[in-house]
């Protein structure tokens, strides 16, 4: 009898301790939510126990959604596998991960689908965090993919070896069940890129960036720096009101290497980097402009800025891949020069999905000119 009581006590203690998991690049444990609650922990679709979803702690109105499930006339999509979670009114999901490297930057990637609300937002945060405003309130009203899902990324600095990661829906809705669908949550440690030989820019080929889910075909959105101080695109700032899209060669056409940036929101979608220059010296800024082979057609125009010079590079896209090289020569007017790219026009895919798209920028190089 004493042995039986001891076993029960141990089980109860284990049930109250938060699950602590080791960090590795890729999907978090049960980050696809395929392991779900027991039937006794569900009331319809609503999860009734805070620890019912393995490896996660929930709060508020959280629903466990099965692929093919409907809400009225609307089909609730699940991008991969059979299940996802929906964060209703003031709901959150949280997990604790250990073995972070303190002082290292990380990116968090996750899949998101909007359901009944038009202006949904998602608050992404980590703890501990000494910076009081270092959290992301990511606006979700614009959908960029034609699949019903978008992937988002968010960067943060690890201030401890053990960190809590939380996704929270702060909205107060008339219907408490309204809220975003979340699936596929992954981590990636970001390397601090160095300036390679023959290029004054860091990460000019965009090879270092957030985790892209291999079984998705829509890339991953990088939010503007007003939403994320620690950009998950090392070396670059997202100087815009809208996100830019990080794409890979497995699903898109990229001019060089395995990664590139698609400027998907016109003049509201820009990337920039500040580099140390010598005042009065002449430099060449070289880069590739193309399309991602994603049915984005039409007359595109990239604007490149450096020093006091602006170069407008037209590109006629047929939507099936291709690129061209461009060069901007300028004289530095200060000891620091801001290099910046944006798309002049807004574009939508020709597949009638209404999805935003745009020109691709890749293989950006800055070099000094000895004899201009």
């Amino acid at each position: 009898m004493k042995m039986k009581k001891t076993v029960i006590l141990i089980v109860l203690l284990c049930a109250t301790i938060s699950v602590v998991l080791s960090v590795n690049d890729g999907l978090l444990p049960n980050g696809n939510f395929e392991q779900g609650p027991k039937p006794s922990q569900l009331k319809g679709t609503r999860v009734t126990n805070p620890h019912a979803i393995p490896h996660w702690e929930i709060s508020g109105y959280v629903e466990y959604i099965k692929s093919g499930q409907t809400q009225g006339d609307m089909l609730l999509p699940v991008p991969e596998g059979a299940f996802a979670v929906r964060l209703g009114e003031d709901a959150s999901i949280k997990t604790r991960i250990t073995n972070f490297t303190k002082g290292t930057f990380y990116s968090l990637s996750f899949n998101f689908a909007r359901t009944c609300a038009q202006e949904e937002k998602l608050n992404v945060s980590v703890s501990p965090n000494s910076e009081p405003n270092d959290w992301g309130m990511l606006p979700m009203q614009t959908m960029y993919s034609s699949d019903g899902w978008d992937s988002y990324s968010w960067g943060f600095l690890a201030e401890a070896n053990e960190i809590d990661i939380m996704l929270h829906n702060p909205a107060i809705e008339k219907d408490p069940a309204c809220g975003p669908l979340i699936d596929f949550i992954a981590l990636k440690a970001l390397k601090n890129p160095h300036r390679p030989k023959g290029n004054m820019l860091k990460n000019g080929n965009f090879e270092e960036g957030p985790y892209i889910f291999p079984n998705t075909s829509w890339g991953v959105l990088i939010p503007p720096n007003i939403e994320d101080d620690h950009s998950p695109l090392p070396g670059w700032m997202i100087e815009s009101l809208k996100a830019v899209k990080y794409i890979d060669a497995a699903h898109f056409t990229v001019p060089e290497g395995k990664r590139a940036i698609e400027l998907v929101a016109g003049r509201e979608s820009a990337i920039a980097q500040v580099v140390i220059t010598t005042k009065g010296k002449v430099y060449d800024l070289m880069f590739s402009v193309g399309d991602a082979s994603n049915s984005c057609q039409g007359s595109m125009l990239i604007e490149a800025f450096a020093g006091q010079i602006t170069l407008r590079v037209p590109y006629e896209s047929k939507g099936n891949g291709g690129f061209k090289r461009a060069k901007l020569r300028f004289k530095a007017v200060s000891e620091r020069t801001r290099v910046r790219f944006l798309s002049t026009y807004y574009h939508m895919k020709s597949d009638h999905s209404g999805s935003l798209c745009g020109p691709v920028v890749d293989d950006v190089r800055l070099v000094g000119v000895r004899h201009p």
Side-chain angles (χ1 to χ4, degrees):
M1 187 66 180
K2 186 176 180 180
M3 175 69 72
K4 188 175 180 180
K5 288 183 178 179
T6 303
V7 171
I8 293 173
L9 181 61
I10 292 172
V11 170
L12 290 173
L13 285 172
C14 290
T16 60
I17 297 173
S18 298
V19 178
V20 181
L21 303 161
S22 298
V23 63
N24 290 300
D25 285 359
L27 196 68
L28 294 183
N30 201 26
N32 55 6
F33 302 107
E34 293 303 293
Q35 301 174 50
K38 298 175 182 177
S40 61
Q41 297 169 321
L42 288 169
K43 186 177 182 179
T45 58
R46 185 177 180 181
V47 184
T48 59
N49 187 308
H51 303 282
I53 301 176
H55 306 303
W56 294 91
E57 180 182 344
I58 70 166
S59 175
Y61 201 110
V62 175
E63 293 180 276
Y64 194 59
I65 303 298
K66 187 176 182 179
S67 179
Q69 190 169 318
T70 59
Q71 178 179 335
D73 296 331
M74 181 177 63
L75 177 69
L76 298 178
V78 173
E80 180 78 11
F83 296 97
V85 297
R86 178 157 67 170
L87 303 183
E89 182 179 274
D90 197 29
S92 66
I93 52 173
K94 181 174 72 172
T95 189
R96 179 169 296 177
I97 307 293
T98 190
N99 285 348
F100 279 95
T101 302
K102 189 176 180 180
T104 296
F105 286 99
Y106 291 84
S107 72
L108 184 74
S109 296
F110 59 92
N111 285 346
F112 159 90
R114 194 176 65 208
T115 56
C116 38
Q118 293 299 311
E119 296 188 3
E120 291 178 351
K121 295 182 178 181
L122 194 68
N123 186 356
V124 185
S125 62
V126 296
S127 179
N129 193 344
S130 62
E131 300 178 57
N133 296 320
D134 190 21
W135 42 266
M137 188 68 75
L138 306 182
M140 304 294 185
Q141 61 266 35
T142 303
M143 297 299 294
Y144 293 89
S145 117
S146 54
D147 301 276
W149 285 86
D150 280 329
S151 295
Y152 275 84
S153 62
W154 183 74
F156 65 92
L157 175 67
E159 295 188 5
N161 301 118
E162 187 174 294
I163 289 178
D164 287 339
I165 297 171
M166 178 182 287
L167 279 71
H168 171 229
N169 174 23
I172 305 299
E173 304 286 354
K174 293 181 180 178
D175 182 358
C178 271
L181 279 166
I182 306 295
D183 199 7
F184 276 36
I185 305 177
L187 273 176
K188 181 183 177 184
L190 298 173
K191 299 175 183 176
N192 185 19
H194 300 286
R195 293 180 177 88
K197 187 176 180 180
N199 192 357
M200 298 170 63
L201 294 172
K202 291 183 178 180
N203 199 22
N205 57 4
F206 306 110
E207 294 300 292
E208 186 64 25
Y211 184 82
I212 297 179
F213 297 100
N215 48 355
T216 62
S217 59
W218 48 77
V220 59
L221 296 167
I222 302 176
N225 57 5
I226 57 173
E227 304 292 348
D228 187 4
D229 292 339
H230 303 300
S231 173
L233 186 66
W236 295 90
M237 297 172 286
I238 315 303
E239 281 194 339
S240 50
L241 298 174
K242 299 287 187 180
V244 302
K245 183 172 283 189
Y246 191 56
I247 60 175
D248 62 339
H251 302 97
F252 300 87
T253 296
V254 302
E256 187 270 339
K258 297 180 179 179
R259 303 284 191 269
I261 291 294
E262 184 184 9
L263 301 176
V264 290
R267 301 186 71 87
E268 295 181 290
S269 187
I271 58 173
Q273 184 170 155
V274 177
V275 63
I276 297 174
T277 51
T278 302
K279 187 176 179 179
K281 186 174 180 179
V282 176
Y283 296 87
D284 279 342
L285 176 66
M286 298 168 286
F287 54 95
S288 295
V289 176
D291 72 275
S293 187
N294 60 347
S295 301
C296 197
Q297 300 177 4
S299 298
M300 299 178 173
L301 188 64
I302 284 283
E303 295 183 47
F305 304 84
Q308 295 179 333
I309 306 297
T310 302
L311 177 67
R312 293 176 174 84
V313 182
Y315 179 79
E316 197 66 31
S317 172
K318 296 182 180 180
N320 54 10
F323 71 94
K324 71 178 185 180
R325 293 290 289 171
K327 181 172 72 175
L328 167 60
R329 178 163 290 186
F330 68 97
K331 181 182 289 187
V333 295
S334 67
E335 295 179 350
R336 289 182 178 271
T337 297
R338 184 179 299 273
V339 173
R340 191 167 183 259
F341 297 92
L342 62 80
S343 170
T344 306
Y345 307 132
Y346 288 87
H347 300 274
M348 287 190 178
K349 292 182 181 180
S350 59
D351 59 4
H352 307 292
S353 64
S355 302
L356 290 171
C357 61
V360 170
V361 177
D362 197 9
D363 195 15
V364 185
R365 302 181 189 185
L366 179 65
V367 297
V369 180
R370 291 184 178 182
H371 306 290

